Amino acid sequence: MAPVRMIGTAVHRILLAFPTALFPAALVTDIAYLRTAQMQWTNFSAWLIAGALVFCGLVLAWSLIELLLSLRVDRRRRRLIYPALLAILFVLGLLNAFKHSQDAWSSVGAFGLTLSILSTLVALAAALVAGSGILNREVAR
């Protein structure tokens, strides 16, 4: 693997680490709010989700550029899995951010907690796909 490609992969994985950590942290702060009713927990959740969205957008843009560049060489459909997971994550995170921008109990509640759980699961799935090398393996025919 070329040194430039290795650096690009490392930077991509570092950027992916932020949504992978921040979405579960937002889920934890949502649970803390539901257990304590301290308003500051919802503020933590909103900021964690906003930070996760910034980095998720960067990772999504990076993966779409890589997808477009690889389409000239490789036309396997499994290359679409990772950008699709990131796009779903970004949409769920954006809905979650909108929900958490509401006031008090309505910012978390059942729907906000569900969005946080879904965002966490999709973020972990995207990290699993990116880290496992599923997309780079050759299939014997």
Side-chain angles (χ1 to χ4, degrees):
M1 186 182 275
V4 173
R5 179 90 173 138
M6 288 174 55
I7 292 170
T9 302
V11 170
H12 182 87
R13 289 189 180 175
I14 288 170
L15 290 175
L16 180 62
F18 284 96
T20 304
L22 294 176
F23 279 121
L27 174 62
V28 169
T29 57
D30 282 349
I31 293 169
Y33 172 71
L34 291 174
R35 298 204 30 104
T36 63
Q38 292 292 325
M39 203 45 210
Q40 191 63 31
W41 289 116
T42 62
N43 295 333
F44 289 154
S45 292
W47 281 104
L48 288 166
I49 292 166
L53 277 175
V54 168
F55 286 100
C56 184
L58 291 172
V59 172
L60 177 60
W62 190 304
S63 70
L64 289 175
I65 291 170
E66 279 187 347
L67 176 69
L68 290 175
L69 292 176
S70 71
L71 282 179
R72 293 184 294 161
V73 179
D74 187 10
R75 295 200 177 268
R76 287 178 281 184
R77 287 192 181 154
R78 64 183 164 163
R79 292 263 183 206
L80 297 173
I81 294 171
Y82 180 61
L85 279 172
L86 290 174
I88 292 168
L89 177 61
F90 190 80
V91 170
L92 281 173
L94 191 61
L95 290 173
N96 202 5
F98 289 151
K99 183 64 180 167
H100 279 77
S101 68
Q102 293 177 345
D103 192 30
W105 173 257
S106 62
S107 69
V108 178
F111 187 58
L113 184 64
T114 302
L115 285 172
S116 290
I117 291 170
L118 291 174
S119 296
T120 298
L121 291 175
V122 174
L124 294 174
L128 180 68
V129 167
S132 68
I134 292 172
L135 303 178
N136 297 329
R137 292 193 182 135
E138 291 291 325
V139 177
R141 293 186 181 181

PDB file of all heavy atoms in Angstrom, residues 101-122:
ATOM      1  N   SER A 101     -33.055  19.651  20.192  1.00  0.00           N
ATOM      2  CA  SER A 101     -33.096  21.111  20.273  1.00  0.00           C
ATOM      3  C   SER A 101     -34.385  21.602  20.924  1.00  0.00           C
ATOM      4  O   SER A 101     -34.517  22.791  21.205  1.00  0.00           O
ATOM      5  CB  SER A 101     -32.953  21.730  18.883  1.00  0.00           C
ATOM      6  OG  SER A 101     -34.100  21.453  18.098  1.00  0.00           O
ATOM      7  N   GLN A 102     -35.319  20.698  21.168  1.00  0.00           N
ATOM      8  CA  GLN A 102     -36.549  21.074  21.847  1.00  0.00           C
ATOM      9  C   GLN A 102     -36.271  21.310  23.323  1.00  0.00           C
ATOM     10  O   GLN A 102     -35.164  21.103  23.808  1.00  0.00           O
ATOM     11  CB  GLN A 102     -37.610  19.989  21.670  1.00  0.00           C
ATOM     12  CG  GLN A 102     -38.070  19.852  20.242  1.00  0.00           C
ATOM     13  CD  GLN A 102     -39.068  18.727  20.072  1.00  0.00           C
ATOM     14  OE1 GLN A 102     -39.213  17.877  20.939  1.00  0.00           O
ATOM     15  NE2 GLN A 102     -39.757  18.722  18.948  1.00  0.00           N
ATOM     16  N   ASP A 103     -37.300  21.708  24.045  1.00  0.00           N
ATOM     17  CA  ASP A 103     -37.121  22.100  25.433  1.00  0.00           C
ATOM     18  C   ASP A 103     -37.489  20.960  26.382  1.00  0.00           C
ATOM     19  O   ASP A 103     -38.466  20.249  26.163  1.00  0.00           O
ATOM     20  CB  ASP A 103     -38.002  23.319  25.713  1.00  0.00           C
ATOM     21  CG  ASP A 103     -37.678  23.967  27.032  1.00  0.00           C
ATOM     22  OD1 ASP A 103     -36.512  23.891  27.446  1.00  0.00           O
ATOM     23  OD2 ASP A 103     -38.580  24.550  27.641  1.00  0.00           O
ATOM     24  N   ALA A 104     -36.675  20.814  27.409  1.00  0.00           N
ATOM     25  CA  ALA A 104     -36.907  19.942  28.568  1.00  0.00           C
ATOM     26  C   ALA A 104     -37.239  18.504  28.192  1.00  0.00           C
ATOM     27  O   ALA A 104     -36.532  17.895  27.402  1.00  0.00           O
ATOM     28  CB  ALA A 104     -37.969  20.542  29.469  1.00  0.00           C
ATOM     29  N   TRP A 105     -38.324  17.952  28.787  1.00  0.00           N
ATOM     30  CA  TRP A 105     -38.650  16.550  28.646  1.00  0.00           C
ATOM     31  C   TRP A 105     -38.867  16.161  27.189  1.00  0.00           C
ATOM     32  O   TRP A 105     -38.506  15.062  26.766  1.00  0.00           O
ATOM     33  CB  TRP A 105     -39.890  16.208  29.466  1.00  0.00           C
ATOM     34  CG  TRP A 105     -40.375  14.819  29.226  1.00  0.00           C
ATOM     35  CD1 TRP A 105     -41.432  14.430  28.479  1.00  0.00           C
ATOM     36  CD2 TRP A 105     -39.781  13.610  29.716  1.00  0.00           C
ATOM     37  NE1 TRP A 105     -41.549  13.067  28.463  1.00  0.00           N
ATOM     38  CE2 TRP A 105     -40.548  12.533  29.232  1.00  0.00           C
ATOM     39  CE3 TRP A 105     -38.695  13.325  30.515  1.00  0.00           C
ATOM     40  CZ2 TRP A 105     -40.261  11.213  29.520  1.00  0.00           C
ATOM     41  CZ3 TRP A 105     -38.408  12.002  30.790  1.00  0.00           C
ATOM     42  CH2 TRP A 105     -39.183  10.968  30.309  1.00  0.00           C
ATOM     43  N   SER A 106     -39.432  17.041  26.384  1.00  0.00           N
ATOM     44  CA  SER A 106     -39.716  16.694  24.997  1.00  0.00           C
ATOM     45  C   SER A 106     -38.438  16.515  24.175  1.00  0.00           C
ATOM     46  O   SER A 106     -38.479  15.937  23.100  1.00  0.00           O
ATOM     47  CB  SER A 106     -40.612  17.754  24.357  1.00  0.00           C
ATOM     48  OG  SER A 106     -39.940  18.996  24.340  1.00  0.00           O
ATOM     49  N   SER A 107     -37.303  17.010  24.670  1.00  0.00           N
ATOM     50  CA  SER A 107     -36.061  16.860  23.904  1.00  0.00           C
ATOM     51  C   SER A 107     -35.532  15.432  23.940  1.00  0.00           C
ATOM     52  O   SER A 107     -34.861  15.003  23.012  1.00  0.00           O
ATOM     53  CB  SER A 107     -34.994  17.816  24.430  1.00  0.00           C
ATOM     54  OG  SER A 107     -34.570  17.428  25.708  1.00  0.00           O
ATOM     55  N   VAL A 108     -35.813  14.707  24.998  1.00  0.00           N
ATOM     56  CA  VAL A 108     -35.335  13.337  25.068  1.00  0.00           C
ATOM     57  C   VAL A 108     -36.531  12.411  24.933  1.00  0.00           C
ATOM     58  O   VAL A 108     -36.792  11.889  23.866  1.00  0.00           O
ATOM     59  CB  VAL A 108     -34.551  13.072  26.374  1.00  0.00           C
ATOM     60  CG1 VAL A 108     -34.104  11.632  26.440  1.00  0.00           C
ATOM     61  CG2 VAL A 108     -33.350  13.988  26.460  1.00  0.00           C
ATOM     62  N   GLY A 109     -37.270  12.197  25.978  1.00  0.00           N
ATOM     63  CA  GLY A 109     -38.454  11.352  25.911  1.00  0.00           C
ATOM     64  C   GLY A 109     -38.197  10.025  25.214  1.00  0.00           C
ATOM     65  O   GLY A 109     -37.065   9.583  25.072  1.00  0.00           O
ATOM     66  N   ALA A 110     -39.253   9.400  24.750  1.00  0.00           N
ATOM     67  CA  ALA A 110     -39.128   8.095  24.097  1.00  0.00           C
ATOM     68  C   ALA A 110     -38.534   8.224  22.696  1.00  0.00           C
ATOM     69  O   ALA A 110     -37.675   7.432  22.304  1.00  0.00           O
ATOM     70  CB  ALA A 110     -40.489   7.422  24.035  1.00  0.00           C
ATOM     71  N   PHE A 111     -38.983   9.224  21.936  1.00  0.00           N
ATOM     72  CA  PHE A 111     -38.510   9.353  20.555  1.00  0.00           C
ATOM     73  C   PHE A 111     -37.046   9.776  20.496  1.00  0.00           C
ATOM     74  O   PHE A 111     -36.272   9.250  19.689  1.00  0.00           O
ATOM     75  CB  PHE A 111     -39.397  10.340  19.792  1.00  0.00           C
ATOM     76  CG  PHE A 111     -39.097  10.404  18.323  1.00  0.00           C
ATOM     77  CD1 PHE A 111     -39.181   9.272  17.537  1.00  0.00           C
ATOM     78  CD2 PHE A 111     -38.723  11.593  17.731  1.00  0.00           C
ATOM     79  CE1 PHE A 111     -38.903   9.322  16.178  1.00  0.00           C
ATOM     80  CE2 PHE A 111     -38.439  11.661  16.381  1.00  0.00           C
ATOM     81  CZ  PHE A 111     -38.531  10.521  15.604  1.00  0.00           C
ATOM     82  N   GLY A 112     -36.652  10.704  21.349  1.00  0.00           N
ATOM     83  CA  GLY A 112     -35.252  11.133  21.384  1.00  0.00           C
ATOM     84  C   GLY A 112     -34.324  10.002  21.798  1.00  0.00           C
ATOM     85  O   GLY A 112     -33.237   9.840  21.247  1.00  0.00           O
ATOM     86  N   LEU A 113     -34.767   9.212  22.767  1.00  0.00           N
ATOM     87  CA  LEU A 113     -33.965   8.068  23.203  1.00  0.00           C
ATOM     88  C   LEU A 113     -33.874   7.024  22.093  1.00  0.00           C
ATOM     89  O   LEU A 113     -32.805   6.460  21.852  1.00  0.00           O
ATOM     90  CB  LEU A 113     -34.568   7.450  24.470  1.00  0.00           C
ATOM     91  CG  LEU A 113     -33.776   6.305  25.086  1.00  0.00           C
ATOM     92  CD1 LEU A 113     -32.421   6.798  25.567  1.00  0.00           C
ATOM     93  CD2 LEU A 113     -34.556   5.680  26.220  1.00  0.00           C
ATOM     94  N   THR A 114     -34.973   6.797  21.384  1.00  0.00           N
ATOM     95  CA  THR A 114     -34.962   5.852  20.265  1.00  0.00           C
ATOM     96  C   THR A 114     -34.016   6.315  19.172  1.00  0.00           C
ATOM     97  O   THR A 114     -33.250   5.513  18.620  1.00  0.00           O
ATOM     98  CB  THR A 114     -36.387   5.680  19.702  1.00  0.00           C
ATOM     99  OG1 THR A 114     -37.243   5.233  20.748  1.00  0.00           O
ATOM    100  CG2 THR A 114     -36.417   4.678  18.569  1.00  0.00           C
ATOM    101  N   LEU A 115     -34.036   7.602  18.855  1.00  0.00           N
ATOM    102  CA  LEU A 115     -33.116   8.128  17.848  1.00  0.00           C
ATOM    103  C   LEU A 115     -31.662   7.989  18.295  1.00  0.00           C
ATOM    104  O   LEU A 115     -30.784   7.678  17.485  1.00  0.00           O
ATOM    105  CB  LEU A 115     -33.433   9.591  17.546  1.00  0.00           C
ATOM    106  CG  LEU A 115     -34.664   9.850  16.696  1.00  0.00           C
ATOM    107  CD1 LEU A 115     -34.970  11.339  16.635  1.00  0.00           C
ATOM    108  CD2 LEU A 115     -34.483   9.296  15.303  1.00  0.00           C
ATOM    109  N   SER A 116     -31.405   8.198  19.568  1.00  0.00           N
ATOM    110  CA  SER A 116     -30.047   8.034  20.081  1.00  0.00           C
ATOM    111  C   SER A 116     -29.591   6.581  20.007  1.00  0.00           C
ATOM    112  O   SER A 116     -28.436   6.298  19.668  1.00  0.00           O
ATOM    113  CB  SER A 116     -29.950   8.540  21.513  1.00  0.00           C
ATOM    114  OG  SER A 116     -30.062   9.933  21.560  1.00  0.00           O
ATOM    115  N   ILE A 117     -30.484   5.664  20.314  1.00  0.00           N
ATOM    116  CA  ILE A 117     -30.148   4.239  20.231  1.00  0.00           C
ATOM    117  C   ILE A 117     -29.861   3.850  18.782  1.00  0.00           C
ATOM    118  O   ILE A 117     -28.864   3.179  18.488  1.00  0.00           O
ATOM    119  CB  ILE A 117     -31.278   3.376  20.829  1.00  0.00           C
ATOM    120  CG1 ILE A 117     -31.357   3.572  22.344  1.00  0.00           C
ATOM    121  CG2 ILE A 117     -31.095   1.901  20.483  1.00  0.00           C
ATOM    122  CD1 ILE A 117     -32.585   2.967  22.994  1.00  0.00           C
ATOM    123  N   LEU A 118     -30.719   4.279  17.863  1.00  0.00           N
ATOM    124  CA  LEU A 118     -30.510   3.956  16.450  1.00  0.00           C
ATOM    125  C   LEU A 118     -29.221   4.575  15.920  1.00  0.00           C
ATOM    126  O   LEU A 118     -28.471   3.935  15.176  1.00  0.00           O
ATOM    127  CB  LEU A 118     -31.714   4.410  15.619  1.00  0.00           C
ATOM    128  CG  LEU A 118     -33.007   3.637  15.835  1.00  0.00           C
ATOM    129  CD1 LEU A 118     -34.145   4.277  15.057  1.00  0.00           C
ATOM    130  CD2 LEU A 118     -32.832   2.189  15.429  1.00  0.00           C
ATOM    131  N   SER A 119     -28.950   5.819  16.302  1.00  0.00           N
ATOM    132  CA  SER A 119     -27.716   6.478  15.865  1.00  0.00           C
ATOM    133  C   SER A 119     -26.491   5.731  16.379  1.00  0.00           C
ATOM    134  O   SER A 119     -25.508   5.545  15.649  1.00  0.00           O
ATOM    135  CB  SER A 119     -27.675   7.927  16.359  1.00  0.00           C
ATOM    136  OG  SER A 119     -28.711   8.681  15.794  1.00  0.00           O
ATOM    137  N   THR A 120     -26.548   5.293  17.614  1.00  0.00           N
ATOM    138  CA  THR A 120     -25.444   4.545  18.197  1.00  0.00           C
ATOM    139  C   THR A 120     -25.226   3.228  17.464  1.00  0.00           C
ATOM    140  O   THR A 120     -24.088   2.877  17.123  1.00  0.00           O
ATOM    141  CB  THR A 120     -25.699   4.283  19.688  1.00  0.00           C
ATOM    142  OG1 THR A 120     -25.776   5.538  20.362  1.00  0.00           O
ATOM    143  CG2 THR A 120     -24.616   3.435  20.305  1.00  0.00           C
ATOM    144  N   LEU A 121     -26.299   2.515  17.197  1.00  0.00           N
ATOM    145  CA  LEU A 121     -26.172   1.219  16.519  1.00  0.00           C
ATOM    146  C   LEU A 121     -25.625   1.376  15.102  1.00  0.00           C
ATOM    147  O   LEU A 121     -24.761   0.594  14.673  1.00  0.00           O
ATOM    148  CB  LEU A 121     -27.525   0.502  16.494  1.00  0.00           C
ATOM    149  CG  LEU A 121     -28.043   0.019  17.847  1.00  0.00           C
ATOM    150  CD1 LEU A 121     -29.444  -0.571  17.701  1.00  0.00           C
ATOM    151  CD2 LEU A 121     -27.090  -0.989  18.458  1.00  0.00           C
ATOM    152  N   VAL A 122     -26.093   2.381  14.374  1.00  0.00           N
ATOM    153  CA  VAL A 122     -25.611   2.587  13.005  1.00  0.00           C
ATOM    154  C   VAL A 122     -24.155   3.063  13.024  1.00  0.00           C
ATOM    155  O   VAL A 122     -23.356   2.661  12.176  1.00  0.00           O
ATOM    156  CB  VAL A 122     -26.532   3.560  12.232  1.00  0.00           C
ATOM    157  CG1 VAL A 122     -25.968   3.884  10.869  1.00  0.00           C
ATOM    158  CG2 VAL A 122     -27.919   2.968  12.094  1.00  0.00           C
TER     159      VAL A 122
END
